[in-house]
Amino acid sequence: MGKISVITINYNEKEGLRKTIQSVVGQTYADIEYIVIDGGSTDGSKELIETHQDKIHYWISEPDSGIYNAMNKGIRAATGVYLLFMNSGDCFLEPDTVSKAEKLMVDDYGIYYGDLIYFNKRKKKYEDWVFPNKLSLGFFIENSLPHQGSFIKRSLFESISMYNENLKIASDWEFFIVAICIEKVSYKHIGIVISEYDFTGISSDPKNYQLVASEKKITFDKYFSMMIDDYKIIKLLDSKRFRNIIYIKQYRIAWKLLKGFSNFLLLFLPKQDHSYRGYRY
């Protein structure tokens, strides 16, 4: 398979960076190129990097304009065949994780992706986060591939694009949806846990959910404008309320009651327009 570049970006997350560096430099796979991009941290992160610089192939500590500006700096510095982003706080599951993954990367797919493990605070235990073997537009509406579990062929960032720096949170999601759903890049689920997911990242913060949604809308308007109405329908079909309706439909009496109540409500609403105004053959 050859060289694999692992890229870590960091800004004032010294303790998370410490965990990630230890995890990466502790990998048994011999041909890892390790790159650390620090955004000019003031919490001692730069000094921590300096203490490990004999095991880091390239690093810088300078101001950047955001997450994806930093990730793009890492991409430009990388020389590996495949790139994986293991940002501050993320850790490989085991010391031989990259070695295990590399043995499963036997063909020439554009993207290989594995699974994650995360700590469920409500249940107070670790759980696997398993991704599907087949990806589709429907999957990407509410989900994405994990950057800390995906090996991306470096050449894709040349043939498709670098990360969109106009987006603050959802640019890696945009890259995956464009690569797979538009450019038809080949992919393969290798079915092993790659890393422990750190839920303290900005995309997991409920305060940023609205921003994520607005950035996804920008991408849909840009690349899938002809499908936007279908997108809204798909979101509706995936809602908890609609799933409840499908569940009720299994029970004849409950279904009749629901239909009766629905018909009663329709008496008080404007009539629906069921006409189809499209071209008729």
Side-chain angles (χ1 to χ4, degrees):
M1 180 56 63
K3 186 187 299 181
I4 294 174
S5 298
V6 178
I7 300 170
T8 295
I9 68 165
N10 174 75
Y11 180 65
N12 284 338
E13 293 287 346
K14 180 181 176 181
E15 292 311 310
L17 179 62
R18 188 191 307 278
K19 287 170 50 182
T20 304
I21 290 176
Q22 291 173 348
S23 175
V24 176
V25 302
Q27 288 297 297
T28 59
Y29 187 66
D31 204 2
I32 288 180
E33 174 185 60
Y34 191 28
I35 295 168
V36 179
I37 308 296
D38 180 69
S41 295
T42 57
D43 67 342
S45 291
K46 179 181 178 181
E47 291 72 20
L48 174 65
I49 295 168
E50 289 175 333
T51 64
H52 292 87
Q53 62 184 343
D54 59 320
K55 297 179 181 178
I56 298 173
H57 299 84
Y58 175 88
W59 70 274
I60 55 172
S61 181
E62 63 182 22
D64 55 57
S65 59
I67 293 171
Y68 297 110
N69 178 241
M71 292 173 82
N72 282 340
K73 288 181 182 181
I75 293 168
R76 293 187 186 99
T79 62
V81 179
Y82 285 89
L83 313 185
L84 181 141
F85 294 90
M86 190 68 64
N87 295 337
S88 287
D90 296 327
C91 297
F92 287 109
L93 182 66
E94 298 171 326
D96 61 346
T97 294
V98 176
S99 294
K100 288 179 178 178
E102 189 271 341
K103 290 176 182 177
L104 298 171
M105 296 161 65
V106 295
D107 297 304
D108 194 32
Y109 289 91
I111 299 171
Y112 291 92
Y113 60 98
D115 301 319
L116 305 180
I117 192 170
Y118 70 99
F119 186 72
N120 187 320
K121 292 182 179 180
R122 183 173 60 83
K123 296 182 180 180
K124 296 184 178 180
K125 67 175 184 178
Y126 282 95
E127 294 184 350
D128 289 339
W129 188 348
V130 179
F131 291 82
N133 292 326
K134 185 174 181 179
L135 303 174
S136 65
L137 179 60
F139 168 79
F140 283 106
I141 285 175
E142 296 293 343
N143 299 283
S144 184
L145 292 180
H147 65 74
Q148 61 276 84
S150 300
F151 297 86
I152 306 167
K153 188 171 280 190
R154 181 169 55 89
S155 60
L156 294 181
F157 291 104
E158 299 170 359
S159 62
I160 298 175
S161 73
M162 303 285 276
Y163 287 121
N164 180 357
E165 295 182 20
N166 292 320
L167 302 181
K168 303 301 181 185
I169 297 180
S171 189
D172 48 336
W173 170 85
E174 180 185 82
F175 176 85
F176 283 129
I177 195 172
V178 170
I180 292 171
C181 297
I182 295 180
E183 299 296 334
K184 307 299 181 185
V185 168
S186 59
Y187 61 85
K188 185 175 183 179
H189 180 216
I190 55 177
I192 62 170
V193 175
I194 302 297
S195 66
E196 179 180 341
Y197 180 64
D198 182 4
F199 263 107
T200 62
I202 63 170
S203 62
S204 300
D205 189 335
K207 292 185 296 185
N208 294 319
Y209 287 174
Q210 187 59 46
L211 178 58
V212 171
S214 65
E215 290 192 346
K216 284 186 174 184
K217 185 179 185 303
I218 291 171
T219 298
F220 271 103
D221 288 342
K222 180 178 180 180
Y223 293 102
F224 304 96
S225 58
M226 295 291 290
M227 305 170 62
I228 198 68
D229 288 338
D230 293 334
Y231 161 66
K232 293 175 182 177
I233 292 172
I234 291 171
K235 285 199 71 173
L236 176 63
L237 293 178
D238 192 49
S239 68
K240 182 178 180 181
R241 191 158 296 158
F242 187 82
R243 291 197 299 269
N244 287 342
I245 292 173
I246 296 300
Y247 176 74
I248 291 171
K249 195 174 186 299
Q250 300 176 68
Y251 300 92
R252 188 164 58 89
I253 295 176
W255 180 241
K256 283 186 175 182
L257 289 171
L258 180 61
K259 287 199 299 182
F261 184 66
S262 173
N263 290 333
F264 174 74
L265 289 178
L266 289 172
L267 294 174
F268 300 94
L269 299 175
K271 289 187 177 181
Q272 300 180 75
D273 183 1
H274 294 290
S275 63
Y276 174 63
R277 296 184 176 85
Y279 182 79
R280 296 183 183 274
Y281 292 90

